[in-house]
Amino acid sequence: MRSKIVAGNWKMNLTFEKADELLYQIGEQLEKGVPQDVELIVCPPSVYLELATDFAQEVEFKVGSQNVSQYSKGAYTGEISAEMLSSIDVDYCIVGHSERRKYFKETSKELSLKVEQLLEYGIQPIFCVGELLEERESGKHFDVLKSQLSEGLFNLSESEFSNIVVAYEPVWAIGTGKTASPEQAQEVHAFLRGLITEKYGKELADETTILYGGSCNAQNAKELFAQNDVDGGLIGGASLKPIDFIEIAKSF
Ligand code: 13P
């Protein structure tokens, strides 16, 4: 179902105490009111996931993991399975973030296995795609995005794909303060929706939620979210500031 979503990716930040405080503060801000039709997702580091899902029993937000293992269980030291995430009521999981592609050399094949694991346990993948600055400057960004989307997801059946949230995160905009313009975001989102239409048909494409990520903040969210094909945001830095995070959720 196409939804308005604002998801906070905390990345590798905060101690336990700070994480607890931030969850509490998000709850406080939420009490002041966020539009009913906006889904808020918090994606803390995995050690704080259970803390977050406990909070989520009282407070209106969903919880997402930042990663999952491509394997189902067994001798994979340090890994966390989709079944484990599901056993602590995690709702979403980010897959294919550019930081995982870059620093952990995650390949499209691995990402597609992660997506399969998540779907098997009823967790919705937030699947990230995004081009590097040099790819945009050399005009290759549409080809790159097409490969990332099709290699990661287009092995799925229609009913499986209906559980996917897509996030467009241009790598040059992540943590740089350099946001894609609303026109650039709209152009890519419409392109991605077009690829989904070609593969799965217009009805499913129209129902797919596509988020924008990359220096999205309380000042620029409104203009970005006003674009026809931008259904919300995947927020990094600004999601660590409770007032800003909730302000972004009010920007539709
Ligand atoms: P920033 O909002 O800090 O640019 O990060 C975006 C991001 O990578 C979210 O996943």
Side-chain angles (χ1 to χ4, degrees):
M1 199 189 68
R2 187 153 165 192
S3 323
K4 294 176 185 168
I5 291 180
V6 171
N9 176 8
W10 293 7
K11 307 193 180 183
M12 196 173 74
N13 289 298
L14 308 181
T15 58
F16 181 86
E17 272 174 19
K18 295 279 181 204
D20 190 48
E21 194 179 312
L22 179 52
L23 289 165
Y24 182 79
Q25 290 170 336
I26 292 172
E28 272 186 336
Q29 291 303 318
L30 273 174
E31 274 176 19
K32 296 182 193 161
V34 161
Q36 287 273 310
D37 59 344
V38 178
E39 185 159 84
L40 208 70
I41 306 173
V42 171
C43 305
S46 50
V47 281
Y48 312 140
L49 280 171
E50 202 200 346
L51 180 71
T53 56
D54 276 352
F55 262 89
Q57 292 191 351
E58 313 280 327
V59 186
E60 270 294 303
F61 61 69
K62 302 273 182 180
V63 178
S65 172
Q66 296 175 18
N67 190 23
V68 67
S69 176
Q70 70 200 83
Y71 303 110
S72 63
K73 64 166 68 158
Y76 300 102
T77 301
E79 289 291 275
I80 294 171
S81 70
E83 186 178 23
M84 293 172 189
L85 295 178
S86 141
S87 74
I88 55 162
D89 300 323
V90 167
D91 310 286
Y92 289 91
C93 180
I94 300 171
V95 179
H97 193 283
S98 60
E99 288 149 17
R100 299 226 44 102
R101 292 178 192 260
K102 178 178 175 190
Y103 300 121
F104 305 97
K105 307 281 178 276
E106 291 189 356
T107 63
S108 288
K109 177 71 204 149
E110 285 160 357
L111 299 179
S112 112
L113 291 171
K114 287 178 186 227
V115 167
E116 278 176 31
Q117 284 295 319
L118 292 167
L119 293 177
E120 192 176 331
Y121 289 95
I123 297 170
Q124 282 190 260
I126 301 175
F127 190 85
C128 303
V129 296
E131 80 283 3
L132 304 171
L133 183 59
E134 56 265 34
E135 291 166 339
R136 176 165 278 266
E137 284 176 342
S138 60
K140 291 197 192 113
H141 52 299
F142 290 122
D143 289 340
V144 169
L145 294 165
K146 185 175 181 178
S147 307
Q148 290 175 345
L149 195 73
S150 57
E151 288 169 16
L153 297 176
F154 284 0
N155 61 324
L156 299 176
S157 68
E158 272 182 40
S159 77
E160 287 170 330
F161 190 87
S162 67
N163 294 298
I164 301 291
V165 172
V166 175
Y168 169 53
E169 296 208 315
V171 179
W172 47 271
I174 296 177
T176 58
K178 198 173 163 191
T179 322
S181 68
E183 295 73 25
Q184 285 173 321
Q186 169 58 25
E187 183 185 36
V188 169
H189 283 228
F191 172 73
L192 296 172
R193 207 178 295 286
L195 294 174
I196 300 167
T197 305
E198 274 171 32
K199 173 71 185 169
Y200 294 106
K202 185 165 170 15
E203 201 179 322
L204 187 45
D206 283 344
E207 283 297 305
T208 303
T209 306
I210 308 181
L211 308 179
Y212 169 78
S215 298
C216 183
N217 57 40
Q219 284 73 48
N220 59 29
K222 213 178 190 78
E223 251 194 304
L224 287 160
F225 297 176
Q227 304 303 309
N228 275 344
D229 289 290
V230 178
D231 303 313
L234 180 54
I235 319 298
S239 74
L240 299 170
K241 302 176 196 152
I243 295 176
D244 290 36
F245 185 50
I246 300 302
E247 222 27 64
I248 295 170
K250 291 180 184 164
S251 300
F252 288 95

